[in-house]
């Protein structure tokens, strides 16, 4: 079972969070100690999206990293939802992140079972 894709997002979700990478990046920043390194975020998102660390994991992780670095992070940073320091690759919650907390928590609750299943398969 894979996490829901972007076509299954509720109409109420604000534009910056309609993308699964953006939402899951915020899940990471709310679940783990921040700031968090971009490579660690890419690793976690790939586990959630690929259901573990199977064949092709490293290639998919690189694609996730590149998508975050070149597309998602700049948009979220421009909206002040995240902070990003390119020299250290550290990502943190930005000043506007608080206004998205309720939406992120609601979306996380709808995905938690699937995300935990992906985590479980990592250890098998």
């Amino acid at each position: 079972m894979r996490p829901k894709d972007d076509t299954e997002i509720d109409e109420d979700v604000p534009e910056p969070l309609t993308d699964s990478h953006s939402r899951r990046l915020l899940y990471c920043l709310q679940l783990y100690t921040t700031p968090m390194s971009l490579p660690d975020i890419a690793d976690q998102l790939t586990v959630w999206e690929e259901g573990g660390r199977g064949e092709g994991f490293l290639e998919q992780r690189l694609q996730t990293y590149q998508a975050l670095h070149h597309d998602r992070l700049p948009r979220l940073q421009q909206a002040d939802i995240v902070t990003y320091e390119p020299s250290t690759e550290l990502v943190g919650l930005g000043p506007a992140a608080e206004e998205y907390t309720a939406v992120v928590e609601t979306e996380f609750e709808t995905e938690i079972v699937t995300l935990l299943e992906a985590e479980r398969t990592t250890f098998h």
Side-chain angles (χ1 to χ4, degrees):
M1 186 197 278
R2 296 180 64 131
K4 65 183 180 178
D5 64 25
D6 298 333
T7 61
E8 300 173 29
I9 299 305
D10 298 330
E11 299 166 2
D12 305 355
V13 175
E15 193 280 324
L17 303 182
T18 57
D19 172 75
S20 63
H21 283 141
S22 298
R23 273 192 326 281
R24 293 177 189 140
L25 181 148
L26 293 177
Y27 298 166
C28 285
L29 295 177
Q30 290 188 345
L31 290 171
Y32 301 107
T33 302
T34 59
M36 193 172 178
S37 77
L38 181 55
D40 287 344
I41 293 169
D43 188 76
Q44 183 62 64
L45 268 61
T46 306
V47 166
W48 286 341
E49 293 168 2
E50 297 301 311
R53 289 189 165 87
E55 186 176 322
F57 178 82
L58 292 178
E59 182 178 322
Q60 184 59 43
R61 181 180 180 267
L62 178 59
Q63 290 174 6
T64 299
Y65 175 93
Q66 290 173 334
L68 289 168
H69 184 268
H70 294 291
D71 185 39
R72 278 52 171 220
L73 272 177
R75 283 194 279 154
L76 293 172
Q77 189 175 20
Q78 185 175 22
D80 286 332
I81 298 171
V82 300
T83 60
Y84 177 58
E85 179 54 52
S87 64
T88 59
E89 293 196 307
L90 291 178
V91 181
L93 292 170
E98 191 173 307
E99 63 189 82
Y100 295 96
T101 300
V103 172
V104 170
E105 288 174 355
T106 300
E107 289 300 309
F108 183 71
E109 288 174 8
T110 66
E111 291 190 80
I112 185 70
V113 172
T114 304
L115 298 175
L116 288 174
E117 181 61 24
E119 291 282 341
R120 188 186 69 74
T121 61
T122 300
F123 296 106
H124 290 281

